[in-house]
């Protein structure tokens, strides 16, 4: 029993790394989602083209290849990343590309009358976007953002391939040392599920809060 408590300690250490990856990767993904999503709606062709290229590239290539490129290829051009940094970069850029289309679609789903009201109130393009359009669009974005965050959580397992001691890596360590597959992988299965439930609960709570405050935003 003492031996297994030590192994469970390893798995919990891996859980902390997975949580850290998920949080930092989600922050990067959110930043890239708004930059690229708003970029797709820009009046300037160069910005639209750059945003589209980013989205199509990271949606169209494998997260495995992106991770390996960040960790093994970037050092050849003088950029060396730790396994954690490479994992955050690859996960954030990959999920951010998918979330960017959520941002674009949510903004475009807002009724034309809201844009006309912004014009009637003499609000500039970005004033209207900031104070009227985005608050309403955020409510549309949230459910899919929650799905994206859960997908990012599950995708953190790929970082075990570059020897980052996340949940999956630690489960493999326990399996190799004990010869038992059932216990470590059932344990991390439950942990991943609980973490996903926490994300879902957090997004739903935020969605309800935002919905209550939205009436004061519509014009």
């Amino acid at each position: 029993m003492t031996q297994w408590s030590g192994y469970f300690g390893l798995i919990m250490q891996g859980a902390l790394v997975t949580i850290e990856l998920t949080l930092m990767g989600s922050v990067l993904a959110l930043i890239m989602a708004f930059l690229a999503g708003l970029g797709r709606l820009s009046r300037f062709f160069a910005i639209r083209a750059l945003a589209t290229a980013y989205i199509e590239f990271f949606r169209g290539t494998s997260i495995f290849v992106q991770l390996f490129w960040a960790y093994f290829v970037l050092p050849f051009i003088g950029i060396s990343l730790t396994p954690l940094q490479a994992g955050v970069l690859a996960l954030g850029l990959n999920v951010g590309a998918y979330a960017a289309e959520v941002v674009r679609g949510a903004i475009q789903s807002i009724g034309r009358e809201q844009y006309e009201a912004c014009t009637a109130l003499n609000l500039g393009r970005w004033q209207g976007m900031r104070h009227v359009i985005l608050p309403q669009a955020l409510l549309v974005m949230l459910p899919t953002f929650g799905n994206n965050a859960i997908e990012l959580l599950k995708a953190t397992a790929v970082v075990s391939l570059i020897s980052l001691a996340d949940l999956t890596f630690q489960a493999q360590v326990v399996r190799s040392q004990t010869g038992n597959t059932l216990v470590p992988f059932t344990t991390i299965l439950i942990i991943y599920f609980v973490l996903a439930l926490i994300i879902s609960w957090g997004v739903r709570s935020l969605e309800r809060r935002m919905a209550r405050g939205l009436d004061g935003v519509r014009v």
Side-chain angles (χ1 to χ4, degrees), residues 203-215:
V203 170
R204 283 197 298 269
S205 298
L206 183 58
E207 191 177 353
R208 285 194 296 269
R209 236 178 257 147
M210 287 186 63
R212 286 196 294 268
L214 194 59
D215 290 336

Side-chain angles (χ1 to χ4, degrees), residues 11-23 26 146-157 166-168 187-204:
I11 289 175
M12 293 313 296
Q13 290 174 20
L16 292 177
V17 173
T18 294
I19 291 169
E20 188 177 7
L21 268 171
T22 302
L23 291 174
S26 294
N147 289 338
N148 291 147
I150 291 172
E151 287 298 324
L152 192 150
L153 165 68
K154 295 186 293 184
T156 58
D166 73 318
L167 268 174
T168 301
T187 302
I188 68 168
L189 187 71
I190 294 170
I191 293 174
Y192 277 121
F193 179 64
V194 170
L195 292 176
L197 283 180
I198 292 171
I199 292 173
S200 295
W201 175 81
V203 170
R204 283 197 298 269

Side-chain angles (χ1 to χ4, degrees), residues 2 4 25 62 89 102 111 118 123 131 136 151 170 173-174 186:
T2 304
W4 274 108
S62 167
L89 182 65
V102 176
C118 291
L123 294 177
H131 296 293
Q136 297 178 63
E151 287 298 324
Q170 297 290 31
V173 169
V174 174
T186 300

Side-chain angles (χ1 to χ4, degrees), residues 114 131-132 136 139 211 213-219:
Q114 296 296 310
H131 296 293
V132 179
Q136 297 178 63
L139 191 60
L214 194 59
D215 290 336
V217 172
R218 292 192 179 96
V219 293

Side-chain angles (χ1 to χ4, degrees), residues 15-65:
L16 292 177
V17 173
T18 294
I19 291 169
E20 188 177 7
L21 268 171
T22 302
L23 291 174
M24 291 194 294
S26 294
V27 170
L28 177 58
L30 200 60
I31 293 170
M32 295 307 299
F34 277 96
L35 288 177
L38 292 172
R40 286 289 304 273
L41 300 173
S42 174
R43 294 174 176 174
F44 301 101
F45 173 77
I47 295 177
R48 291 199 310 273
L50 186 62
T52 301
Y54 158 70
I55 291 169
E56 296 303 329
F57 178 80
F58 281 95
R59 288 196 311 178
T61 55
S62 167
I63 181 62
F64 290 95
V65 178

